[in-house]
């Protein structure tokens, strides 16, 4: 007798109405996503079978939590007395659940599954609301073996502001694992102390000084991974000098950048909390002075920061699958993550914050700039609120409401994929596969020790992934990265006191650190110009700033920097930044073409030079007089750093 046709599909019934006889079915592939139960509701499991016998089927289960009851007919019930939101993080997540069905003759077991118990909520398609993510089992991060200096250099282009001449060999010898934890444990190289050094040297408290410090630290700081991650985060958690108030406070922007450095290899939840309290963000997205509604005076809570906190910093506009692709409704359209009503309720939760030691609520400059914003409970809306299906109880303080608001977003299922995708784009490739995003997002969920949001381990997952290390990942370099790559490759130095001159930051790159035209950064993750890339379904956000117009200006500043190479070994007062060209100049005779190509390959490309570029170099070097070595070197280097091969990070 053939009793079962075992299927890879389970059927779980989700109640559309709570009346006892009503059951509706939702098909869930058991080997792709976990079954889910909502506290207080009844469900029925149905297994697709071919049944030829006469006996009745009976059910049993193992490893269910004690408040889930399953009877012999396959009806299970999450007891209503435990109707509460599982603690954010891991509770509500029950692995290795199995169901067994038998007629007394033949038996089939389904599982093991991971059972997810969610709070009571409404059901829409494949989504159960409110959406609270759960902790996955600890994911594996692949071991990285850097067999060649070329492989080591490729990783350094992704993880740092570019390899210096000795870095690839050192990394190959040291090994990735040791190097990575050395970087994680290195003391942060903050910008604000260096800013004060420049002021003590006699420089002005100005945007130009902020730029100079950014170049100084980005080129020279030993904690390169932290610096590169901070730069990536600055393009997610955006503030900008284009704001009228922040344009007057370059030192405050430097302090904000240090906040990103502090948490660049820390926890994303902690970062979100401190960003929410930082005066730079308070000014930029106008959360300073936001207060509870007073209809008689026409006062309403400010919605700017809550809106961007959701849209750009955590969950995005659309409900996302674990791989970052959108859930679609029956009409094939994305499902919105939140509503205008949610924004309004969220804005109420974030009222009552102002500069520390403020004594005049209406004066947004009254208080301390270089301290976290502080709450004023008399200005906070302490009433109950409902955001994306989760209730803020009444009577809570501004600090309690802020923490719950951050918890809701930090623990939302969208956040791991949303943040991971952008970080992958900024470090490794503009077009990560859905599987790459999923793998990194799972590390965001669980760093291997049950911790969510560990950015150090997220960075490790990004850099260790097979797509990062298989030699096929590529992205267009941002103009600022092009310059830092050149500066580190040529050991750029400042003057005799270590003070750097500005590298024409405001005009040459089409982008400025913390200087984007809007909260949307200089580009969005999905940006791509018209042409073949778009036709192939690829994106290239960096081409928004590296275009025909900006490239001309960028190539000129690169040429200017390369030309500053005399007397590198003898720094002087008040001189421009210098680069070391001696490695090329020592072999600059026209007869040393092979040695010159080896120099370019080992110093800049860190991979074989293409035949097209070899022909270009040969034609150029042959056109230069045999004794004009310095001109030959400057020309070859300039051709290198403006070539397509160099402007693409591989």
């Amino acid at each position: 007798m053939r009793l079962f046709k075992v299927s890879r599909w389970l059927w779980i019934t989700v109640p559309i109405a709570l009346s006892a006889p009503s059951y509706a079915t939702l098909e869930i592939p058991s080997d792709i996503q976990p079954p889910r139960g909502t506290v207080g509701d009844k469900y029925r499991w149905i297994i697709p079978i071919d049944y030829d016998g006469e006996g009745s089927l009976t059910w049993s289960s193992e490893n269910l939590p004690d408040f889930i009851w399953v009877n012999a007919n396959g009806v299970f019930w999450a007891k209503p007395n435990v109707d509460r939101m599982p603690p954010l993080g891991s509770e509500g997540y029950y692995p290795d659940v199995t169901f067994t069905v038998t007629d007394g003759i033949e038996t089939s077991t389904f599982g093991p599954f991971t059972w997810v118990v969610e709070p009571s909520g409404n059901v829409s398609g494949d989504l159960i609301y409110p959406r609270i993510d759960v902790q996955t089992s600890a994911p594996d991060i692949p071991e990285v073996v850097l067999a060649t200096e070329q492989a080591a250099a490729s990783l350094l282009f992704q993880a740092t502001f570019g390899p210096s001449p000795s870095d690839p060999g050192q990394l190959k010898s040291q090994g990735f694992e040791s190097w990575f934890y050395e970087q994680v444990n290195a003391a942060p190289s903050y910008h604000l102390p260096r800013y004060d050094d420049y002021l003590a040297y006699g420089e002005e408290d100005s945007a130009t000084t902020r730029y100079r410090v950014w170049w100084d630290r980005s080129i020279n700081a030993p904690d390169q991974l932290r610096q590169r991650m901070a730069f990536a985060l600055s393009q997610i958690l955006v503030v900008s000098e284009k704001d009228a108030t922040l344009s007057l406070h370059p030192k405050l922007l430097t302090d904000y950048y240090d906040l990103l450095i502090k948490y660049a290899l820390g926890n994303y939840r902690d970062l979100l909390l401190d960003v929410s309290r930082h005066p730079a963000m308070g000014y930029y997205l106008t959360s300073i002075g936001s207060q509870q509604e007073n209809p008689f005076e026409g006062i309403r809570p400010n919605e700017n920061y809550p809106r961007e906190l959701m849209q750009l910093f955590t969950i995005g506009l659309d409900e996302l699958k674990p791989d970052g692709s959108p859930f679609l409704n029956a009409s094939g359209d994305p499902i919105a993550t939140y509503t205008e009503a949610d924004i309004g309720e969220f804005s109420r939760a974030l009222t009552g914050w102002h500069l520390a030691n403020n004594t005049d609520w209406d004066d947004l400059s009254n208080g301390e700039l270089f301290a976290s914003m502080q709450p004023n409970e008399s200005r906070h809306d302490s009433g109950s609120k409902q955001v994306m299906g989760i209730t803020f109880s009444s009577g809570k303080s501004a600090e309690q409401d802020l923490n719950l608001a951050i918890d809701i977003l930090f623990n939302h299922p969208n956040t791991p994929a949303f943040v991971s995708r952008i970080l992958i784009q900024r470090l490794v490739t503009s077009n990560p596969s859905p599987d790459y995003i999923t793998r990194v997002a799972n590390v965001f969920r669980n760093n291997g020790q049950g911790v969510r949001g560990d950015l150090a381990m997220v960075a490790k997952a990004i850099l260790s992934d097979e797509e990062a290390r298989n030699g096929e990942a590529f992205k267009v370099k941002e103009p600022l990265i092009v310059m830092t790559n050149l500066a580190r490759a040529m050991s750029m130095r400042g003057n005799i006191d270590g003070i750097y001159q500005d590298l024409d930051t405001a005009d040459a790159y089409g982008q400025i650190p913390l200087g984007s035209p809007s909260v949307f950064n200089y580009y969005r993750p999905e940006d791509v110009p018209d042409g073949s890339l778009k036709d192939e379904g690829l994106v290239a956000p960096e081409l928004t700033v590296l275009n025909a117009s900006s490239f001309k200006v960028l190539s000129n500043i690169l040429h200017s920097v390369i030309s500053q190479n005399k007397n590198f070994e003898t720094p002087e007062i008040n001189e421009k930044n210098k680069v070391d060209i001696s490695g090329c100049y020592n072999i600059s005779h026209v007869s040393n073409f092979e040695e010159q190509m080896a120099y370019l390959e080992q110093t800049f490309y860190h991979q074989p030079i293409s035949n097209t570029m070899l022909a270009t170099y040969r034609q150029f070097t042959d056109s230069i007089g045999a004794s004009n070595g310095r001109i030959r070197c400057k020309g070859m280097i300039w051709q290198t750093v403006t070539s397509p091969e160099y402007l693409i990070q591989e």
Side-chain angles (χ1 to χ4, degrees), residues 165-345:
S166 61
D167 283 349
Q170 290 176 355
L171 175 56
K172 177 179 177 294
S173 299
Q174 182 178 5
F176 172 73
E177 193 81 1
S178 173
W179 175 87
F180 174 79
Y181 285 105
E182 181 180 84
Q183 287 286 302
V184 171
N185 295 322
S189 299
Y190 291 120
H191 289 210
L192 196 57
R194 192 65 178 141
Y195 191 99
D196 288 335
D197 290 341
Y198 275 65
L199 296 184
Y201 190 75
E203 303 302 330
E204 295 180 350
D205 184 5
S206 66
T208 299
T209 297
R210 183 175 73 83
Y211 305 156
R212 292 164 69 178
V213 170
W214 186 88
W215 289 112
D216 188 338
R217 284 303 201 211
S218 299
I219 294 167
N220 297 306
D223 56 330
Q224 279 286 299
L225 176 60
R226 183 182 295 274
Q227 299 292 323
R228 183 68 186 269
M229 280 286 287
F231 182 56
L233 290 167
S234 76
Q235 299 187 65
I236 301 174
L237 304 158
V238 171
V239 301
S240 175
E241 66 174 29
K242 296 299 188 287
D243 175 79
T245 300
L246 292 180
S247 67
L248 303 175
H249 296 287
K251 192 171 182 179
L252 182 62
L253 285 170
T254 303
D255 185 70
Y256 180 81
Y257 201 87
D258 276 355
L259 182 68
L260 303 180
I261 290 172
K262 176 181 179 180
Y263 290 112
L265 300 175
N267 192 278
Y268 198 66
R269 181 188 183 277
D270 297 337
L271 174 58
L272 289 172
L273 274 172
D274 274 6
V275 162
S276 299
R277 301 186 188 108
H278 198 282
M281 184 60 75
Y283 282 127
Y284 189 59
L285 291 179
T286 58
S287 59
I288 285 181
S290 179
Q291 57 185 307
Q292 62 182 316
E293 184 173 8
N294 185 335
F296 298 104
E297 296 184 15
I299 295 173
R300 296 185 60 194
N302 192 291
E303 296 183 353
N304 283 353
Y305 183 62
R307 186 186 306 274
E308 309 310 348
L309 179 60
M310 290 191 284
Q311 179 179 347
L312 301 176
F313 300 174
T314 52
I315 63 176
L317 292 172
D318 303 322
E319 296 282 12
L320 300 179
K321 298 176 183 178
D323 64 5
S325 61
F327 279 104
L328 302 178
N329 61 22
S331 300
D333 299 318
I335 303 169
T337 50
Y338 55 87
T339 65
E340 286 297 315
D342 289 323
I343 295 171
E345 292 288 273

